[in-house]
């Protein structure tokens, strides 16, 4: 079997509501999903979900190769980007191609990827994550009642702009999940998408912890700030979760060495081989791992085969336009199917008919870091829908109004 080519597509996830976090909000509730399809001379095609930046150059490393040599080809792709570097979107392209190769390998073996990788149990524990900072109280309760109906008993909320607002929203979701769990205490997490300084993080979380039990605080400071993440971890009771934006073992190593991370996260967009390698590194330090992503299907399959998987993120309950995925949600877990490979099928006609054309992120997008992020002493949010505005009291006591933003959905 030989790799003969690739195709790229872009579809959309339609959330049906505003989505966002402390960095920005998308009031239209539509996010893009990039797709890479790798083709072979035996008619088997593999699907990878992720960007296709610099794909022509990166694909040269695997063109004409046997796709079943996945991990070797992964390293060839890393070497292909040696001079310019493999971080950022280029790493996402490598991840998309890598996931597609794993899909091909499992299809060729006639097995679902979770079984090919050595998994025994197709059930992958999940937590609810609604990208929900722009929702009103009633909308928030309704959203998490839906998640609770699928048996989810843990939830991660977006926040970090207003401590009292965060307390109120976390308490609302706590009550929803407690009632659904017949009094059982739920897991609560808060994700602030690198919006804080070190001291602000400790102050904010400690205030919340006076009345709430947080399982983890996610990305409280910048992703690479090993010293700062460690300082936050020492100052709060909650675990520190981070890693979704780190690309390669070399970026995890200083955080783990500094004791800066308690929950090691990996984004689905970076690929299966990356997840497996980081999971092994984390396991060597007795740390649990948790996949992140809208449809982290590749990492869900891989999670069944590692000993330190904790829980995986469940965002939207519906797949993007034109994608069918052989899994379902039951009793608070992803349940993977028996379709050979990833179990992802692409309806290209449906994607073309949707007519989406990707554009550049706007200044109030969750993907654009706000100018004053990490520089607020206090923040009070005006929760008028559909636009979320933030009024920040800065160090010079001048109030500045700016669009609040949410992290990358």
């Amino acid at each position: 079997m030989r790799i003969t080519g690739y195709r790229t597509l872009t579809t959309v996830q339609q959330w049906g509501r505003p989505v966002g976090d402390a960095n920005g909000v998308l009031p239209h509730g539509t996010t893009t999903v990039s797709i890479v399809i790798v083709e072979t001379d035996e008619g088997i095609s593999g699907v990878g979900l992720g960007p296709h930046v610099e794909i022509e150059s990166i694909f040269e490393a695997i063109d004409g190769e046997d796709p079943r040599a996945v991990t070797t080809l992964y390293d060839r792709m890393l070497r292909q980007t040696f001079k310019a570097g493999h971080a950022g979107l280029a790493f996402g392209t490598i991840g998309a191609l890598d996931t597609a190769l794993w899909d091909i390998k499992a299809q060729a073996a006639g097995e679902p990827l979770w079984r090919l990788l050595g998994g025994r149990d197709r059930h992958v524990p999940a937590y609810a994550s609604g990208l929900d900072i722009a929702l009103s109280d009633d909308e928030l309760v309704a959203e998490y009642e839906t998640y609770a109906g699928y048996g989810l008993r843990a939830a991660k909320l977006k926040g970090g702009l207003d401590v009292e607002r965060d307390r109120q929203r976390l308490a609302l979701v706590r009550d929803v999940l407690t009632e659904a769990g017949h009094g059982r205490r739920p897991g609560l997490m808060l994700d602030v998408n690198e919006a804080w300084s070190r001291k602000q993080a400790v102050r904010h979380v400690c205030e919340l912890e006076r009345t709430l039990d947080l399982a983890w605080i996610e990305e409280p400071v910048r992703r690479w700030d090993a010293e700062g993440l460690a300082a936050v971890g020492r100052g709060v009771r909650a675990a520190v979760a981070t890693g979704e934006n780190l690309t390669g073992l070399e970026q995890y190593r200083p955080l783990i060495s500094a004791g800066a991370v308690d929950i090691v996260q990996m984004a689905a967009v970076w690929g299966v081989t990356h997840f497996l390698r980081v999971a092994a590194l984390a396991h060597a330090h007795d740390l649990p791992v948790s996949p992140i992503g809208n449809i982290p299907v590749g990492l869900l399959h891989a999670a069944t085969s590692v000993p330190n998987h904790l829980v995986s993120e469940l965002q939207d309950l519906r797949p993007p336009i034109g994608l069918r995925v052989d899994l379902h949600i039951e009793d608070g877990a992803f349940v993977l199917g028996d379709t050979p490979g990833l179990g992802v099928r692409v309806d290209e006609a449906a994607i073309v008919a949707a007519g989406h054309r990707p554009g550049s992120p706007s200044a109030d997008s969750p993907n654009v870091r706000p100018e004053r992020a990490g520089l607020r002493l206090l923040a009070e949010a005006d929760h008028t829908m559909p636009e979320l505005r933030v009024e920040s009291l800065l160090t010079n006591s001048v109030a500045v109004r700016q669009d609040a933003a949410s992290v990358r959905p």
Side-chain angles (χ1 to χ4, degrees):
M1 183 186 298
R2 298 293 167 184
I3 297 168
T4 58
Y6 67 88
R7 305 194 309 281
T8 62
L9 300 163
T10 301
T11 186
V12 294
Q13 183 83 41
Q14 294 182 324
W15 299 81
R17 54 184 173 80
V19 291
D21 63 21
N23 298 301
V25 170
L26 300 173
H28 49 72
T30 300
T31 54
T32 60
V33 178
S34 298
I35 305 167
V36 174
I37 301 175
V38 176
E39 301 163 332
T40 70
D41 60 358
E42 295 190 11
I44 300 177
S45 297
V47 178
L49 303 178
H52 28 83
V53 172
E54 304 292 340
I55 192 167
E56 289 187 17
S57 172
I58 295 171
F59 184 76
E60 291 176 4
I62 64 173
D63 192 12
E65 297 287 332
D66 188 327
R68 293 168 292 188
V70 185
T71 54
T72 303
L73 296 182
Y74 179 80
D75 288 321
R76 284 176 63 89
M77 288 189 285
L78 292 182
R79 292 197 300 272
Q80 187 79 2
T81 58
F82 167 62
K83 285 293 184 181
H86 63 245
L89 291 178
F91 197 71
T93 301
I94 293 172
L97 291 167
D98 172 74
T99 301
L101 297 184
W102 279 110
D103 188 15
I104 293 170
K105 184 180 178 76
Q107 288 183 61
E111 293 186 333
L113 181 56
W114 63 269
R115 192 175 296 281
L116 179 76
L117 290 171
R120 177 176 174 271
D121 188 350
R122 69 181 72 222
H123 294 77
V124 183
Y127 68 87
S129 177
L131 311 182
D132 45 46
I133 200 168
L135 301 185
S136 68
D137 287 353
D138 289 344
E139 292 168 333
L140 184 74
V141 168
E143 187 69 23
Y144 283 90
E145 285 177 341
T146 301
Y147 287 123
Y150 285 87
L152 281 93
R153 298 295 179 261
K156 182 175 77 181
L157 275 65
K158 298 292 188 180
L161 298 175
D162 181 338
V163 67
E164 294 306 328
R165 180 66 177 149
D166 287 347
R167 190 195 312 277
Q168 178 184 8
R169 298 174 78 249
L170 286 162
L172 287 171
V173 172
R174 176 199 61 197
D175 293 346
V176 167
L177 298 183
T178 299
E179 181 178 355
H182 305 290
R184 179 182 175 185
R185 185 170 66 178
L188 294 176
M189 297 85 87
L190 183 67
D191 185 1
V192 302
N193 301 106
E194 307 180 56
W196 292 335
S197 66
R198 300 176 187 183
K199 281 295 187 180
Q200 185 182 11
V202 173
R203 290 172 59 212
H204 198 115
V205 176
C206 285
E207 177 60 26
L208 290 176
E209 288 182 328
R210 289 196 308 106
T211 55
L212 293 166
D213 181 25
L214 286 181
W216 78 55
I217 179 67
E218 186 167 323
E219 290 193 322
V221 296
R222 297 314 301 271
R223 65 194 71 169
W224 51 75
D225 186 4
E227 182 181 339
L229 289 163
V232 174
R234 290 190 297 268
V236 303
R237 296 199 309 270
V240 172
T242 192
E244 68 175 281
N245 289 306
L246 302 181
T247 53
L249 295 181
E250 66 277 9
Q251 294 192 3
Y252 285 86
R253 192 165 55 204
L255 271 65
I256 291 176
S257 296
V261 54
D262 303 302
I263 311 294
V264 179
Q265 298 175 312
M266 301 85 102
V269 70
W270 309 136
V272 172
T273 300
H274 174 256
F275 171 85
L276 293 172
R277 291 182 175 181
V278 175
L281 175 65
H283 184 51
H285 291 82
D286 294 320
L287 294 172
V289 297
S290 179
I292 294 291
N294 178 21
I295 40 174
V297 59
L299 303 197
L300 298 179
H301 282 264
T304 66
S305 69
V306 301
N308 52 334
H309 173 260
L310 179 66
V311 67
S312 291
E313 183 174 39
L314 169 61
Q315 294 184 0
D316 206 339
L317 292 161
R318 301 160 298 176
I321 290 176
L323 293 187
R324 289 185 293 113
V325 185
D326 186 13
L327 63 78
H328 65 278
I329 312 302
E330 181 181 309
D331 294 332
F334 295 95
V335 183
L336 300 170
D338 286 318
T339 301
L342 286 176
V344 176
R345 295 295 176 261
V346 180
D347 184 342
E348 297 188 39
I351 293 173
V352 171
H356 174 76
R357 296 293 182 270
S360 300
S362 61
D364 56 355
S365 162
N367 298 320
V368 177
R369 183 169 170 82
E371 182 180 359
R372 300 300 299 181
L375 298 176
R376 307 178 184 97
L377 285 182
L378 303 173
E380 297 178 0
D382 173 7
H383 300 282
T384 304
M385 293 295 115
E387 184 179 11
L388 185 69
R389 306 282 299 177
V390 177
E391 182 165 309
S392 301
L393 180 61
L394 306 178
T395 53
N396 59 1
S397 300
V398 177
V400 176
R401 290 196 63 84
Q402 65 182 41
D403 287 334
S406 96
V407 75
R408 174 179 59 81

